[in-house]
């Protein structure tokens, strides 16, 4: 993405936090709460090391994302103080580019009230890649999918920047790195501490929930979350990835990424990545 000096353009609300967690390679240990999801009991233990079949499905999940590109995604990041950022868009893992809409909601002061009320704080268009992101106001009268709206924004209309310490930025950076052009080695995943947690049902389909490999040098059973990876994956019987969550220090609600399958009609705009 072409870099521009930071402008006074729209930037979602910030919470100070720094962490880079890219796909399977976890570079830190995060503490925080876990989301509550409806689970189904089964005959296997609630948590245990992955079998080789499970490690193979987990290792295949990133490759399946790559093959399904462009993929529809929804990212939800909680930034503290009741502020939530929601991004809906598409990711092309062959080009490592993505486009979507963002919406920031949170407490807003209401005259004459005794406390804050929830409201929309900001919204617009967002593009991101491996190097950073760009924000732009939604075009007036704009409708249709975000990639079609983004086509109407000239290069000068985007406020581009590198990734920062925001939970949103960490989630976007994680999301853009999830797809891979080849499966991960299942033996290495199993040896690195990937664990099968539970079986959940999402939209009428069963998914195994896995804790990702531990960070290098982490001692099992020690430290925050007993040394477990801050990344959790929901993978079905075919190795398709449905959801990923990432826990962050100081935040009780993890950042969540949901995948909705291939969006065959999506076409990412040339700007702001084009040159000239």
């Amino acid at each position: 993405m072409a870099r521009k000096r930071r402008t006074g353009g729209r930037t979602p609300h910030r919470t100070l936090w720094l962490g880079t967690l890219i796909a399977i390679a976890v570079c830190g240990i995060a503490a925080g709460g876990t989301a509550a999801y409806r689970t189904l009991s089964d005959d296997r233990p609630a948590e245990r090391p992955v079998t080789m079949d499970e490690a193979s499905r987990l290792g295949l999940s990133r490759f399946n994302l790559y093959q399904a590109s462009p993929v529809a995604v929804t990212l939800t990041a909680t930034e503290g103080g009741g502020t939530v950022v929601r991004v809906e868009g598409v990711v092309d893992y062959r080009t490592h580019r993505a486009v979507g809409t963002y919406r920031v909601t949170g407490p807003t002061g209401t005259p004459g009230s005794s406390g804050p009320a929830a409201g929309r704080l900001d919204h617009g268009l967002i593009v991101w890649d491996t190097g950073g992101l760009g924000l732009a106001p939604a075009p007036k009268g704009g409708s249709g999918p975000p990639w079609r709206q983004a086509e109407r924004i000239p290069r000068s209309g985007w406020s581009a920047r590198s990734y920062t310490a925001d939970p949103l930025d960490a989630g976007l950076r994680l999301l853009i790195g999830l797809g891979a052009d080849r499966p991960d080695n299942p033996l290495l995943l199993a040896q690195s501490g990937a664990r099968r947690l539970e079986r959940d049902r999402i939209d009428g389909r069963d998914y195994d929930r896995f804790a990702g490999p531990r960070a290098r040098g982490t001692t099992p059973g020690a430290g925050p979350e007993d040394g477990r990876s801050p990344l959790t994956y929901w993978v079905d019987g075919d190795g398709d990835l449905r959801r990923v969550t990432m826990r962050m220090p100081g935040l009780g609600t993890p950042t969540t990424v949901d995948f909705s399958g291939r969006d065959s009609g999506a076409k990412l705009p040339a700007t702001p990545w084009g040159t000239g």
Side-chain angles (χ1 to χ4, degrees), residues 38-201:
R38 179 185 175 203
T39 61
L40 299 179
S41 62
D42 73 30
D43 296 330
R44 290 172 288 180
E47 179 177 343
R48 54 170 171 73
V50 294
T51 65
M52 285 308 298
D53 173 72
E54 290 166 344
S56 295
R57 285 192 285 123
L58 182 58
L60 187 63
S61 62
R62 298 177 63 211
F63 179 60
N64 284 347
L65 272 184
Y66 177 89
Q67 289 192 311
S69 294
V71 181
V73 300
T74 301
L75 181 150
T76 306
T78 301
E79 299 204 339
T83 299
V84 177
V85 186
R86 183 180 177 91
V87 175
E88 297 180 342
V90 291
V91 179
D92 187 338
Y93 286 107
R94 288 180 169 82
T95 62
H96 294 286
R97 294 174 177 176
V99 60
T101 59
Y102 74 88
R103 185 177 299 270
V104 184
T105 58
T108 58
T110 303
S113 66
S114 58
R120 188 175 69 182
L121 304 178
D122 194 12
H123 71 287
L125 298 176
I126 183 170
V127 292
W128 70 101
D129 57 19
T130 57
L133 60 93
L135 302 171
K140 293 183 178 180
S143 61
W147 56 267
R148 185 166 292 157
Q149 295 185 54
E151 288 177 337
R152 299 173 54 188
I153 307 296
R155 190 169 299 112
S156 60
W158 293 96
S159 178
R161 60 173 173 80
S162 300
Y163 289 118
T164 70
D166 295 355
L168 170 65
D169 287 22
L172 293 173
R173 196 170 185 179
L174 166 71
L175 176 53
I176 202 68
L178 279 173
D181 61 2
R182 66 194 67 183
D184 291 296
N185 187 317
L187 182 60
L188 292 180
L189 292 179
Q191 292 176 343
S192 299
R195 298 182 67 80
R196 192 265 188 185
L197 303 178
E198 289 281 357
R199 175 164 293 172
D200 297 344
R201 195 167 183 84

